[in-house]
Amino acid sequence: MFYQGERVRLVRAIPELALDRHAEGTITAVRCGEGGEPLAVEIRFAGSQRVTAEAPLDAVEPVIDSTGACTAVLWRLEKGGAALLEAAMHAMLNGGFELRQGLNVMQLAYDCSAGVWRKGERISDPTGAQAVVAGSTWDGCIVGVSGTQGFALEFRLRGRRQAYVMLHERWEAYEEQRCTTHPAMGLLRVLLNLSVAVGSECCAMPVASNWLIDEDWDSLLQQPYFPDLFIIPQSKLPQPLPPFYRAQPLVNAKAILTTLPVKFSPTDDSIERTPRELKLNQLRACKAIGEKAYDQMYESRGSLSGLYSDAKEAFYDAISIANELGLKEESEALERRLEHIKAVFRSQFS
C-alpha cells in the first residue's frame, strides 16, 4: 500500500520523462480502480525539472526519508544495543507485521555541537539482520514496517539522553484509533507488546514536537497531559484521575492511563467518541502544548521567540475551542493564563 505524502523511488527508468532508475519523489495522489484497489501513484519528483508523473505500483518502492507522523515514545529501557533492536523488531514481526520493502533502514547520527539528530545512509534490509548488527554501532536508526498504519521504529541509542525508542505511524491511522474501539485496541496491543519486549518503564502516545525537541520524556507525566495513552508504573498514576482519562492495572505493577476508546474487558461495550469529546480532548492537548512551551522558555539557550509563539498559538487555539464548546469559565481562565505568559515574556525575556 502507498499513501499520499510517502517517499518513494523508481525501480526502473521512465525515459519519456527523462527520469532515471532510483529517481526519488513524493506521492501526491493514489489512483484506484472501480473496486477501490490501487492501480498507480502520482509522484512529484525533486530536482531541477520538478516533474510530476504517474507510475504503476510495480515501478516504485518505498524509501525511508522522514517520519513526519504521530509518535509514541518508550523510555527508561532495560535493554540496549543489539538486544534492544532485535527485541523491538521481533515484537513487530511477531505481531503480524513485516519489514517494509525498498530502502527500509536509515542511519541516524547525533550532532553534539548542534544538539540535533541528522539523517545518514539508507539501506535495503529485508530481514532486519543488518539493522540489528550495524544499527547497534550507530547513534541511532529508523526501520520501516509494513501495514496500513505506516509504522516505523526509531532507535536513539547515543545522544544527549539515555537510549529510547519511538514508534511512528500515519496521522490518518491515529485519527481512527482516537475515535473507535477496534483500531484503538490494535494500537494498544502493539504498544503493550513493544513495551514488554524492550523493557520500558514508561510509554506515551502521541508526543508533540516540543517534547521531541528537548527529549525530556518525564515532563510528559506532568499535568495537563498531552498524550492520549500512557503505559506507566501504577505508582505514577495521578490521584484523582484527570477528566476524561481512565486507568487499568496491569501485571508487574504497571497500568494503562488513557483517553482512547479501548476496552479493559472483553465484555465491555465498544466505544465511539463523540465530536464534543474529541474537541475536549483537543482542548486539553492545546493547554498542554502551551504550558510546555512556556516551561521551555525558562530552559532554552537559544531564541525564545519560537517558544513564545508556540505558547501563544496553543492558548489561542484552546480559547477558540473553549468558546466553541460554550465553556465560558474555561475560556476566561485560559485568557488570564495567556495574559500572564505575555506579561512574563515582556518583563523577563524581551
Side-chain angles (χ1 to χ4, degrees):
M1 293 290 293
F2 293 97
Y3 302 96
Q4 186 174 348
E6 188 175 4
R7 188 78 172 177
V8 294
R9 71 172 184 174
L10 295 176
V11 297
R12 60 176 182 265
I14 305 180
E16 59 270 24
L17 294 176
L19 291 170
D20 297 330
R21 179 172 178 259
H22 291 167
E24 293 188 14
T26 302
I27 294 177
T28 56
V30 179
R31 182 167 63 84
C32 298
E34 294 182 358
E37 72 281 5
L39 300 176
V41 290
E42 182 183 86
I43 307 168
R44 179 178 294 117
F45 291 92
S48 57
Q49 292 180 300
R50 296 190 177 277
V51 174
T52 298
E54 185 175 275
L57 298 185
D58 61 0
V60 297
E61 64 180 4
V63 173
I64 283 285
D65 181 61
S66 61
T67 52
C70 180
T71 299
V73 175
L74 299 94
W75 73 102
R76 296 191 180 182
L77 310 177
E78 293 178 357
K79 294 182 179 177
L84 172 62
L85 277 79
E86 185 173 15
M89 285 193 281
H90 278 169
M92 299 301 292
L93 298 176
N94 292 339
F97 298 95
E98 298 178 352
L99 296 185
R100 202 176 300 174
Q101 297 178 345
L103 297 179
N104 59 353
V105 176
M106 180 167 65
Q107 180 180 358
L108 298 174
Y110 183 68
D111 185 335
C112 297
S113 60
V116 296
W117 289 87
R118 303 197 184 279
K119 302 175 186 177
E121 180 184 1
R122 299 173 299 181
I123 62 173
S124 178
D125 185 11
T127 66
Q130 287 181 268
V132 171
V133 175
S136 62
T137 68
W138 299 337
D139 293 342
C141 66
I142 301 176
V143 180
V145 181
S146 68
T148 57
Q149 298 92 339
F151 284 131
L153 283 166
E154 182 167 351
F155 302 90
R156 294 191 173 181
L157 307 178
R158 298 174 187 85
R160 59 174 164 168
R161 307 285 187 189
Q162 292 182 339
Y164 59 92
V165 176
M166 294 189 283
L167 180 70
H168 308 282
E169 72 167 341
R170 297 170 53 243
W171 268 112
E172 293 85 352
Y174 187 68
E175 287 303 322
E176 294 181 1
Q177 296 156 0
R178 185 177 265 168
C179 293
T180 58
T181 294
H182 181 69
M185 292 300 295
L187 174 65
L188 178 60
R189 283 191 291 270
V190 168
L191 290 176
L192 284 171
N193 291 339
L194 191 58
S195 181
V196 170
V198 302
S200 66
E201 180 180 303
C202 300
C203 171
M205 184 170 192
V207 179
S209 58
N210 289 82
W211 285 272
L212 295 174
I213 290 171
D214 74 6
E215 301 175 306
D216 182 10
W217 311 125
D218 286 342
S219 67
L220 289 166
L221 301 174
Q222 298 173 3
Q223 297 191 48
Y225 296 135
F226 181 84
D228 297 324
L229 172 66
F230 294 93
I231 302 171
I232 52 177
Q234 292 182 25
S235 60
K236 294 184 181 294
L237 284 176
Q239 296 296 336
L241 294 181
F244 314 114
Y245 278 91
R246 297 176 298 134
Q248 174 65 32
L250 299 172
V251 297
N252 299 324
K254 290 290 190 67
I256 298 169
L257 176 67
T258 187
T259 65
L260 294 182
V262 297
K263 296 198 297 184
F264 291 149
S265 166
T267 59
D268 290 346
D269 292 332
S270 295
I271 302 170
E272 185 161 352
R273 299 171 79 192
T274 66
R276 182 177 179 83
E277 288 173 335
L278 293 172
K279 280 288 185 182
L280 287 168
N281 194 71
Q282 185 181 359
L283 172 60
R284 169 184 54 80
C286 289
K287 290 165 60 177
I289 290 178
E291 294 294 347
K292 174 65 174 177
Y294 179 50
D295 289 344
Q296 287 176 308
M297 287 165 54
Y298 287 93
E299 303 165 1
S300 175
R301 302 177 191 175
S303 172
L304 295 172
S305 58
L307 294 171
Y308 182 48
S309 177
D310 286 349
K312 289 193 298 181
E313 290 303 317
F315 276 101
Y316 286 140
D317 289 343
I319 292 167
S320 175
I321 295 169
N323 287 331
E324 180 182 344
L325 295 174
L327 303 175
K328 182 179 178 181
E329 292 184 1
E330 177 77 8
S331 175
E332 291 173 348
L334 289 167
E335 289 178 349
R336 290 193 296 272
R337 182 61 172 162
L338 176 57
E339 288 306 313
H340 169 78
I341 292 172
K342 288 180 177 179
V344 169
F345 181 80
R346 288 192 294 265
S347 64
Q348 297 188 28
F349 299 114
S350 61

